[in-house]
């Protein structure tokens, strides 16, 4: 709007020019400083999160190693339970090594970790064969929000979730163990992406983590059939060798994750499959009350 006063017209023209000229050099410098401060703050926050994660994993690793050492020592005091205690000692030491390898502060050759796991798996399989236990592998939710690996004494098409005592060891119905995959499922759930609520999303998330975050496999291609109560994951390039061995880290992580989200027993079966991948991990559950 123009007036008859020349001075007012000049002031208005200057104001219009300032509005269309854009930010000044001083504005740009201030903006750059603000961006730099935000970038530095984000880096400090990221470093803090990484340090917290490494600290938590170190404590977990120490806990596993402690379990292994205590189990090994208890085997000398309790000769009747030596089989289970020696097996627990092997699992504790292996889980400690495995957890330590993903802290990011130290690199462990996959071949070394594979040899440790192979020894533990062979010991378990020998114990199960000596006890005459079935080859079925079930991952069962418990009433204290945990998942246990259950090897039944007799074949059971649908074991119930474990209630009451969830102690690790031999029982009347079979062998109950802490699965290797438990801590890795917790690690994925604690990354900030949050826990998923469907089997399909859970399998997809865990498959991505097995490939990228943990590098336990070079490829994990999932396919979930909710109506049939089945998830099949084609796995290639396992860092721990043959996936069909006892409580393999790849298969165990997938089965534990599904048992948690489904809150029902999950049966695990692993076969070699050259058409889809080196190994096919199959997890099955009762679909009568299946999750969407």
């Amino acid at each position: 709007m123009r007036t008859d006063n020349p001075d007012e017209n000049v002031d208005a023209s200057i104001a219009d020019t300032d509005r269309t000229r854009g930010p000044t050099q001083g504005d740009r410098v201030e903006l750059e400083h603000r961006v730099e401060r935000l970038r530095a703050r984000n880096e400090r926050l990221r470093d803090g999160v990484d340090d917290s994660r490494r600290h938590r994993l170190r404590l977990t690793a120490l806990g596993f190693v402690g379990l292994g050492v205590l189990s090994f020592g208890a085997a000398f005091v309790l000769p009747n339970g030596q089989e289970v205690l020696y097996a627990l000692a092997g699992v504790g030491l292996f889980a400690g090594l495995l957890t330590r390898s993903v802290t990011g502060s130290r690199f462990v050759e996959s071949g070394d970790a594979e040899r440790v796991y192979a020894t533990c798996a062979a010991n378990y399989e020998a114990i199960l064969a000596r006890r005459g236990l079935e080859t079925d592998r079930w991952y069962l939710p418990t009433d204290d929000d945990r998942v246990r690996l259950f090897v039944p004494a007799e074949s059971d098409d649908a074991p119930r979730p474990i209630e009451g005592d969830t102690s690790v060891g031999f029982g009347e119905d079979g062998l109950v163990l802490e699965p290797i995959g438990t801590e890795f499922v917790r690690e994925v759930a604690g990354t900030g992406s949050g826990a998923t609520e469907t089997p399909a999303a859970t399998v997809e998330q865990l498959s991505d983590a097995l490939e990228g975050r943990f590098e336990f496999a070079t490829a994990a291609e999932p396919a979930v059939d909710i109506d049939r109560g089945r998830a099949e994951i084609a796995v290639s390039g396992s860092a721990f060798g043959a996936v069909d061995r006892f409580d393999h880290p790849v298969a165990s992580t997938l089965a534990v994750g599904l048992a948690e989200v489904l809150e029902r027993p999950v049966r695990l079966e692993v076969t070699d499959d050259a058409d889809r991948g080196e190994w096919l991990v199959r997890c099955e559950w009762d679909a009568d009350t299946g999750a969407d």
Side-chain angles (χ1 to χ4, degrees), residues 243-264:
V243 183
D244 62 345
R245 289 178 293 184
F246 187 84
D247 198 33
H248 190 280
V250 170
S252 181
T253 299
L254 293 164
V256 169
L258 275 171
E260 281 192 356
V261 73
L262 289 164
E263 297 183 349
R264 73 197 64 185

Side-chain angles (χ1 to χ4, degrees), residues 20-52:
T20 57
R21 183 178 298 167
T24 64
Q25 180 66 25
D27 293 335
R28 286 194 293 269
V29 171
E30 175 62 25
L31 183 60
E32 290 174 358
H33 287 168
R34 188 173 302 173
V35 169
E36 288 298 326
R37 289 195 297 270
L38 289 174
R39 182 180 293 113
R41 184 178 181 182
N42 286 337
E43 289 178 357
R44 289 195 299 271
L45 290 173
R46 188 181 301 111
D47 291 340
V49 171
D50 290 341
D51 290 341
S52 176

Side-chain angles (χ1 to χ4, degrees), residues 90-114:
V91 169
L93 294 174
F94 168 69
L97 173 63
L98 200 60
T99 305
R100 187 72 175 85
S101 70
V102 299
T103 60
S105 60
R106 190 173 184 180
F107 178 76
V108 177
E109 289 283 352
S110 62
D112 296 336
E114 193 278 334

Side-chain angles (χ1 to χ4, degrees), residues 15 22 62 66 76 86 128 136 177 192 211 222 231 235 246 257 281:
L62 289 174
F76 292 96
Y86 281 140
L128 296 177
D136 289 346
L177 296 171
E211 288 184 31
V235 177
F246 187 84
V281 178

